[in-house]
Amino acid sequence: MKYSIVIDEFMRVYGAKKPLKIYERSVIRRGGCIFFLIREDIEKKLVIICPFKYTLPERFIPEEEGIFKFRDKNLRYIVCKCDGENALALRRMFTFTRPRPLGLTPTIGLGDRIGIATPGHIRAIKGFGLLPVLAQQSIREIQRTGRTLREVLDGVSWAVFQEGYRMGFAADADHLKREEDVEDAFQAGFTMYTVDPSDYVDSEADNYPVSVLRERFNGLPWSEMGIGIERFLKVYLKKRLTLYLPDGKIRELRFSEENLMRAAVKFSNAILFIVRVYRRLKSLFGRRRFDFEVSIDETESPISALEHFFIVSELRRFGVRFHGLAPRFAGRFEKAIDYIGDLKEFEENFLMHVLISKALGPYKISIHSGSDKFSIYPIVSRLAPDMVHLKTSGTSYLESLRVIARHEPNLFREIIKYSLKCFESDRRSYFTSADPKSMPNPDDIPDRELERAFLENSSGRQILHITFGSILTARSEDGKWLFRERIKRVLLDNEEEFYETIAAHIRRHIEGLFGQK
Ligand code: ZN
């Protein structure tokens, strides 16, 4: 380590009262100064060492400053909190800590709910030639974790700096369901926008009798759709899309009047919502690029080939440029456990989406709730290794609980009991088949069996996964965090093990999808 003598001298002078750790990968020289990250007890801090008379190019706000002598020279040290203000200065100074658009590169979304897992995510993707979406937060998760979009991004910028990671990453404002949320995400600096129009999908459209269907169809907001009924029918009834299947067979997609009306009634309002969000983003970003994903993964039934064809044709008609589409696939994608369903059916379904995306795009097929779906990765990797985005979010929270189970078994037991209490109300916004009654009493399980009993069991994984928000925001009667700080402390006390546990788990996903390094 080149600057180690200067840093050693600083450490001696600084005389920390609490145990101090230096993040070696963070050390970087810029404009005559040395920047690096330290941790004092459980608080991370940025240290800047610079010549005595020196004005820093960015406005870092010091918490503590001092002078020390090094080889006859006076050096100044500045210790800064890793807070939001300093994160702004950090991003201005070091461009690699800023998110950026990633376009059509294969990507993996790695949401971090605890807010300290990102170094593990960065270690997982190293050497694989894919890029990560490190800051990824849905509005739903904001409500559940009590963290703002800015805080999520700030945490990621510090983590990227800590690991010295320079390859680039994106920040995804996930599952945007209201136009006004776009503004917040933009202000926070997000570069990727996942629009979720599910509130505007008419899921009854498949069941309307033809007379009702026609009435609804005629009643669509044609003027906002910018086309007349006659013209719409004419354009779509003529449309063809030929798909060339790998076995040499050909499949042609075309609309009958009835299935066109069903697709239009089901999705037209959703498409208009997507268009409004897109236009708002365009006006905010101007000529700068951003990544745009359309998620229709939370609809009631799987998206058919014809529906996919219709949605994308409409988006193209409106000039919406998007990088990814997340369809609802056949089968069940429950959180934190493997795919439930017929693999053959998934394969046919996935192949068809890929073929349409190649013919009309290309754009990436995005797989939401993508963590732990080990049985489908070989299929995805065979059919579309280079055009996929795998979105995961809660899985690193679960993996971090392993570290808790190993080092603080009693805290882990408390978490389980609390999660079981909250499960019935927390489960409402999720598809889950978890059965809390199948869980043993954690007091009956010996310490070294805890991981196996709860984290390698599908009900246990889902219950713990779904209740993350309740755990992370629970407070005792005197207003103190019930678990949040204790979880953080155990993880930071075992920091390397924590990062490696997460990295190992995420790496299994990446190897399944993108092959070995
Ligand atoms: Zn989703």
Side-chain angles (χ1 to χ4, degrees), residues 175 295 297-298 368-369:
H175 280 279
S295 74
D297 63 309
E298 295 192 0
H368 284 206
S369 302

Side-chain angles (χ1 to χ4, degrees), residues 241-245 247-252:
L241 183 67
T242 311
L243 303 179
Y244 299 92
L245 302 167
D247 58 7
K249 289 197 186 111
I250 287 179
R251 183 172 169 198
E252 194 182 59

Side-chain angles (χ1 to χ4, degrees), residues 58-64 78-81 83 85-86 89:
E58 292 298 341
R59 249 179 273 129
F60 288 98
I61 298 159
E63 183 189 51
E64 199 180 321
I78 301 162
V79 180
C80 307
K81 278 196 156 123
D83 59 13
E85 277 303 307
N86 288 326

Side-chain angles (χ1 to χ4, degrees), residues 179-235:
E179 266 175 87
E180 55 270 32
D181 292 336
V182 168
E183 213 99 5
D184 287 348
F186 175 79
Q187 294 305 340
F190 278 61
T191 55
M192 172 171 171
Y193 295 80
T194 299
V195 58
D196 175 357
S198 53
D199 292 344
Y200 296 87
V201 174
D202 183 349
S203 49
E204 284 303 302
D206 294 330
N207 308 318
Y208 291 139
V210 177
S211 58
V212 178
L213 181 66
R214 195 171 292 280
E215 208 176 292
R216 300 279 158 123
F217 179 71
N218 289 335
L220 287 175
W222 293 100
S223 66
E224 197 186 345
M225 285 161 71
I227 191 168
I229 295 185
E230 300 271 291
R231 174 101 190 108
F232 182 87
L233 286 169
K234 202 168 159 201
V235 168

Side-chain angles (χ1 to χ4, degrees), residues 408-424:
E408 290 282 347
N410 285 333
L411 172 58
F412 183 75
R413 287 189 182 93
E414 275 183 64
I415 292 174
I416 293 183
K417 289 179 195 163
Y418 198 87
S419 290
L420 282 166
K421 266 206 304 199
C422 303
F423 179 66
E424 279 315 315

